[in-house]
Amino acid sequence: MVEEFVEEIDPIVFTFGALLTVGVIGAFFVNETLVTETIGTVYNWVVTYLNWALLVIVFLIVLFLLFLIVGPWGKIKMGDSDPEYSFLSYFAMLYSAGFAAGVVFWGPTEALFYYDNPSPLFGVEGGTSEAIPIAIQQTLFHWALPQLAVFTIMGLAISYFAYNYDDVPLRVSSALTPIIGKENLDGPFAKVVDILAVFATIGGVATSLGFIGSQFIAGLSYQWGIDLGNAGILLVVTTMTLLFTISMVLGVDRGIRRLSNFNMILFVILMAATFILGPTLFLLLLGSQAMGGMIADFTSMSLYTGAGGDGGTGWMNSWTVFYWAWALSWSPFAGLFIARISKGRTVREVAFTGIGATSAATIPWFTFVGGTALRYHHTGVADFSTVIANGTPEVSGFILFEAFPLGTVFMIAFMVLVTTFFITSADSSTLAVSMMTTGGKASPSTINRIFWGVVLGMTAAILMIIGGEGGTSALQNAVIITGAPFAFVCFLAMLSLIRDFSSKYGRVLLQDETVLIGSGRRAERDSPSGPGGPVESDDD
């Protein structure tokens, strides 16, 4: 096993990726204050100078994917084989491994914060009945198309170039093949991209694991009064790390696929129960209005920077920029995992599953669970005021389900869902990091997977401890730092696909003979003159 591990690793990507992440862990134990202050300083720089870029790039990627679903390039296939998995299993794995852990965490609570403090874009007073549909509309916007789009664009680019080109490996830098050049995929620029991918994945996934771990710990404290402290955080994260490592070692077929299918079943059961036991008619009315508002305001919400308004930019940085950066930090791992399971599918099918089918699952969850929490809070059935005041979103799900008949049963089911989504997210991300550090090997060694599993678990525990009583602030700061650079990688991946599709399958905007730069006269002189020689003008 050790010999296999040594032989398979890419020494440059593994060494620098490991040094970056293990170095941060070591620095935390040496000087916790320095690590915390450094994260805060870098975060402030990113949200000051790069926030606009994240908004614009993500918006352009959404438009491109929508075009792929309906346009002529959608029929292009990933390789020449048949799909490895059924569509339902493919969808379940893509959803569970992509961002479902965040969906579960924020489902009962996000709309509450928008209800209390709506986006300044809408000019609605917080805490009023008018703020309720706006809160759900903002939540749907954050969790439907844009976050999913950055995962999908990376998955499309990696899988297309890996399966349609000879000798292109399954790794993140392969998404830039037309820009880098196939002969330079082992060059310095490609190595930098892959090292950044390892670091971004560790930051993004550790943030998600930190959210889910804090939710699990909050459930133990809320329901049974168990206060674990920092030692308990390490214990819980270690236990969950052990669970996802077992699933990971079992592999995609026996581990991730089966657990993903179970996740989706439990997810649908909880969502349906909330719809039936909650204010059903109100949820239908609320969902319809919120969906209409999201569609009508999608462009303005996507590009809202808060310029010229009081507090608008700060609100946008705290929510929209944070979510886009979180998704971008997941894009290398999620994209690589999507590529791993997408062989044999068409561009249209991957794009539709990535942003269409997953949105269709996400929108009802946030409408039913988030809408019920809003209704209960507004009417006094349940009290979420401490959650809003203290910024403790990890408790919301337990307050909500406690208000249901057989509340304890629902809370236990919710904790099981939290845990299983944690496992599928962690084992698929660890598989992806292992693939990144082996040059694209589809089935890395067990030692490699275990190493990165431990690193992920330790990073998540550290971010949770840094967050302390403040909850999620350290997690949010860390994910923006690791995700921002990948906005530009995703943008280049989109340009790579456009360049390749245009050259091989025809342009869709300009005719193929169009000269983009310079004079078109040379094209006229070089054109065939026909059997009768040059065509002469009738004019003298």
Side-chain angles (χ1 to χ4, degrees), residues 222-223 273-274 277-279 372-373 375-377 379-384 395-411:
Y222 183 84
Q223 183 64 17
T274 304
L277 297 176
T372 300
R375 179 71 170 180
Y376 282 5
H377 180 69
T379 58
V381 175
D383 184 10
F384 294 90
V395 182
S396 293
F398 305 103
I399 297 175
L400 172 63
F401 290 117
E402 186 182 40
F404 283 8
L406 301 175
T408 302
V409 174
F410 280 101
M411 280 191 278

Side-chain angles (χ1 to χ4, degrees), residues 42-189:
V42 179
Y43 162 81
N44 288 330
W45 186 90
V46 171
V47 298
T48 300
Y49 297 104
L50 295 180
N51 50 7
W52 65 271
L54 269 64
L55 298 178
V56 172
I57 289 172
V58 171
F59 178 65
L60 293 176
I61 291 172
V62 171
L63 295 184
F64 178 64
L65 290 174
L66 290 174
F67 167 73
L68 289 181
I69 293 174
V70 300
W73 291 341
K75 63 185 178 182
I76 300 169
K77 194 174 180 182
M78 309 296 174
D80 54 7
S81 62
D82 293 327
E84 188 176 356
Y85 306 99
S86 69
F87 178 78
L88 289 179
S89 289
Y90 173 69
F91 163 72
M93 285 191 289
L94 191 153
Y95 192 79
S96 297
F99 76 148
V103 170
V104 174
F105 181 88
W106 288 103
T109 193
E110 182 170 341
L112 291 167
F113 290 104
Y114 303 150
Y115 165 79
D116 181 66
N117 182 24
S119 169
L121 172 66
F122 298 105
V124 174
E125 184 180 352
T128 62
S129 57
E130 291 79 10
I132 293 177
I134 294 297
I136 296 297
Q137 175 180 328
Q138 188 73 47
T139 305
L140 298 185
F141 167 72
H142 281 155
W143 288 95
L145 298 179
Q147 280 204 67
L148 298 157
V150 297
F151 306 155
T152 308
I153 196 69
M154 286 300 295
L156 273 172
I158 296 170
S159 57
Y160 173 75
F161 295 116
Y163 298 136
N164 293 72
Y165 278 53
D166 293 331
D167 303 320
V168 172
L170 265 176
R171 61 185 187 218
V172 176
S173 56
S174 297
L176 310 182
T177 297
I179 295 175
I180 299 174
K182 191 172 76 169
E183 67 280 1
N184 297 320
L185 286 177
D186 288 319
F189 185 78

Side-chain angles (χ1 to χ4, degrees), residues 71-391:
W73 291 341
K75 63 185 178 182
I76 300 169
K77 194 174 180 182
M78 309 296 174
D80 54 7
S81 62
D82 293 327
E84 188 176 356
Y85 306 99
S86 69
F87 178 78
L88 289 179
S89 289
Y90 173 69
F91 163 72
M93 285 191 289
L94 191 153
Y95 192 79
S96 297
F99 76 148
V103 170
V104 174
F105 181 88
W106 288 103
T109 193
E110 182 170 341
L112 291 167
F113 290 104
Y114 303 150
Y115 165 79
D116 181 66
N117 182 24
S119 169
L121 172 66
F122 298 105
V124 174
E125 184 180 352
T128 62
S129 57
E130 291 79 10
I132 293 177
I134 294 297
I136 296 297
Q137 175 180 328
Q138 188 73 47
T139 305
L140 298 185
F141 167 72
H142 281 155
W143 288 95
L145 298 179
Q147 280 204 67
L148 298 157
V150 297
F151 306 155
T152 308
I153 196 69
M154 286 300 295
L156 273 172
I158 296 170
S159 57
Y160 173 75
F161 295 116
Y163 298 136
N164 293 72
Y165 278 53
D166 293 331
D167 303 320
V168 172
L170 265 176
R171 61 185 187 218
V172 176
S173 56
S174 297
L176 310 182
T177 297
I179 295 175
I180 299 174
K182 191 172 76 169
E183 67 280 1
N184 297 320
L185 286 177
D186 288 319
F189 185 78
K191 296 296 184 188
V192 170
V193 171
D194 288 329
I195 291 168
L196 284 175
V198 172
F199 189 60
T201 299
I202 296 295
V205 177
T207 297
S208 299
L209 303 190
F211 279 139
I212 298 300
S214 64
Q215 195 169 44
F216 187 88
I217 291 169
L220 294 177
S221 175
Y222 183 84
Q223 183 64 17
W224 294 287
I226 302 174
D227 186 7
L228 297 175
N230 289 347
I233 291 174
L234 291 173
L235 177 62
V236 168
V237 172
T238 300
T239 303
M240 290 189 171
T241 301
L242 178 63
L243 291 173
F244 79 69
T245 302
I246 293 171
S247 172
M248 174 184 56
V249 171
L250 289 174
V252 174
D253 288 332
R254 291 185 296 166
I256 298 175
R257 180 178 63 84
R258 292 178 180 176
L259 198 54
S260 296
N261 291 339
F262 170 79
N263 284 345
M264 293 308 299
I265 293 171
L266 184 56
F267 179 78
V268 170
I269 290 173
L270 265 179
M271 181 168 60
T274 304
F275 175 68
I276 294 169
L277 297 176
T280 304
L281 180 58
F282 171 79
L283 295 176
L284 293 173
L285 297 173
L286 178 63
S288 301
Q289 183 172 336
M291 272 291 295
M294 184 187 72
I295 295 170
D297 298 327
F298 186 82
T299 300
S300 58
M301 294 169 74
S302 295
L303 301 177
Y304 175 68
T305 62
D310 294 334
T313 302
W315 191 99
M316 178 266 300
N317 286 338
S318 297
W319 289 108
T320 306
V321 171
F322 158 65
Y323 277 135
W324 286 193
W326 189 8
L328 288 160
S329 69
W330 275 59
S331 64
F333 125 68
L336 194 56
F337 184 76
I338 290 171
R340 166 70 176 78
I341 62 176
S342 293
K343 188 174 184 179
R345 299 191 180 274
T346 64
V347 166
R348 179 174 290 112
E349 193 171 10
V350 176
F352 168 74
T353 308
I355 65 172
T358 46
S359 292
T362 300
I363 287 171
W365 170 263
F366 279 102
T367 300
F368 299 161
V369 176
T372 300
L374 269 180
R375 179 71 170 180
Y376 282 5
H377 180 69
H378 189 72
T379 58
V381 175
D383 184 10
F384 294 90
S385 55
T386 56
V387 172
I388 297 171
N390 300 328

